[in-house]
Amino acid sequence: MAAPFFSTPFQPYVYQSPQDAVIPFQILGGEAQVVQIMLKPQEKVVAKPGSMCFMSGLIEMENVFVPENEVGMWQWLFGKSLSSIILRNPGPTDGFVGIAAPSLARILPIDLAMFNGEILCQPDAFLCSVNDVKVSNTVDQRARNVIAGAEGFLRQKLSGQGLAFILAGGSVVQKNLEVGELLVVDVSCIVALTTAVNVQVKYNGPMRRAVFGGDNLVTAILTGPGIVFIQSLPFHRFSQRIARAVTSPNMRENPKFFIQIAIFFFLAYVVIVSSLILTDV
């Protein structure tokens, strides 16, 4: 029985690899989910650093650089980790590992064999994998598809015939696009899509507004055939809401904030005027 595209909380599934290796796993929780994977002797899980939540006593963990997971300069420039953790069961009995989402996110199991061995994801979507899964980063070279922020031009590609687990924020919607069918989605809400889907980016306003940020200013026009996974609450949107609430005090809560701003502009005005006077002299 192959794994479904994505699961509901507390529902166990069994993944069967192309080599007929059966690996049971279970996704636990509602919002900040954990995936528990059963490992037979000599089986292993590759995961992103810091994602291990719990494991049985027999499991061995090591932090290594995985050659098949291409990261390189782009990954390093945007603050990504250059290593992965390998959780291996040396035997002789079965064991288990628990891999947790790093934020309020849902975990989606993706059987790459059901997607012709390849799928494109948002950056940092990859959580862990079992068997044959290769993680690499692709850059969209078309100028019209380059937008501000790493998510605009750095995409994560998962390839192989194994089972991968990816992250999505909020609720997840799966859209099956027919040939020629169009779907317009906010760029940040795209979790993953198959490589057959054609993507065109559209700016809903002046370019300067898109560069300096804004909600729903950049949308993607997706043309089928293919499958698209959509998230309702991207992590960067969630973090922006928290940052605004923390760093934008109102007058009633912090009246000194506006006084400090007024003093800053007054001092800046004094410095500029003084420099002009001294220049004339």
Side-chain angles (χ1 to χ4, degrees):
M1 173 181 174
F5 291 152
F6 61 90
S7 68
T8 55
F10 304 106
Q11 191 167 356
Y13 289 99
V14 174
Y15 164 71
Q16 184 172 357
S17 69
Q19 294 78 23
D20 294 330
V22 177
I23 300 177
F25 68 89
Q26 187 175 12
I27 295 179
L28 309 173
E31 297 303 329
Q33 293 185 329
V34 178
V35 56
Q36 179 174 284
I37 305 173
M38 305 301 295
L39 295 179
K40 295 180 180 179
Q42 307 309 318
E43 290 181 340
K44 68 178 180 178
V45 171
V46 179
K48 64 192 308 182
S51 60
M52 196 281 294
C53 184
F54 58 86
M55 60 184 182
S56 57
L58 295 176
I59 303 298
E60 296 179 350
M61 180 175 62
E62 56 179 336
N63 196 323
V64 298
F65 174 78
V66 183
E68 58 265 26
N69 289 356
E70 299 176 2
V71 284
M73 184 60 68
W74 285 107
Q75 194 87 334
W76 178 78
L77 286 176
F78 288 101
K80 315 297 183 181
S81 176
L82 297 180
S83 62
S84 300
I85 59 174
I86 296 181
L87 302 161
R88 180 182 289 104
N89 181 11
T93 59
D94 294 349
F96 59 86
V97 296
I99 307 297
S103 60
L104 294 176
R106 293 185 180 273
I107 300 176
L108 282 64
I110 302 293
D111 186 353
L112 293 177
M114 302 177 66
F115 296 94
N116 296 323
E118 194 173 67
I119 191 170
L120 295 175
C121 306
Q122 66 175 351
D124 278 342
F126 174 78
L127 178 64
C128 62
S129 64
V130 180
N131 291 335
D132 176 29
V133 176
K134 178 181 178 181
V135 183
S136 58
N137 294 304
T138 61
V139 180
D140 198 333
Q141 302 291 348
R142 293 173 294 183
R144 65 178 182 273
N145 286 2
V146 176
I147 63 174
E151 290 191 4
F153 57 93
L154 179 62
R155 297 181 298 177
Q156 207 168 59
K157 182 173 69 174
L158 307 181
S159 57
Q161 298 295 318
L163 176 66
F165 295 89
I166 63 176
L167 300 171
S171 300
V172 180
V173 178
Q174 175 186 326
K175 291 291 186 181
N176 299 322
L177 302 181
E178 302 295 336
V179 178
E181 183 179 355
L182 296 179
L183 180 67
V184 181
V185 186
D186 186 272
V187 170
S188 61
C189 292
I190 300 176
V191 179
L193 48 80
T194 55
T195 55
V197 177
N198 182 49
V199 182
Q200 290 184 341
V201 173
K202 178 182 178 181
Y203 297 98
N204 303 312
M207 179 69 71
R208 60 180 181 274
R209 292 182 58 194
V211 171
F212 289 103
D215 295 333
N216 298 127
L217 287 176
V218 184
T219 55
I221 302 177
L222 310 179
T223 307
I227 300 175
V228 183
F229 297 97
I230 304 171
Q231 59 185 350
S232 64
L233 185 60
F235 176 73
H236 80 91
R237 183 181 298 176
F238 177 66
S239 61
Q240 285 178 357
R241 295 295 186 274
I242 296 178
R244 291 175 185 174
V246 173
T247 60
S248 301
N250 55 48
M251 187 67 178
R252 183 179 301 174
E253 295 178 354
N254 189 6
K256 295 181 180 179
F257 178 74
F258 294 96
I259 297 175
Q260 293 171 352
I261 291 180
I263 294 175
F264 171 80
F265 282 107
F266 174 76
L267 294 177
Y269 172 79
V270 171
V271 171
I272 294 174
V273 172
S274 300
S275 62
L276 293 176
I277 294 175
L278 292 176
T279 301
D280 292 339
V281 174

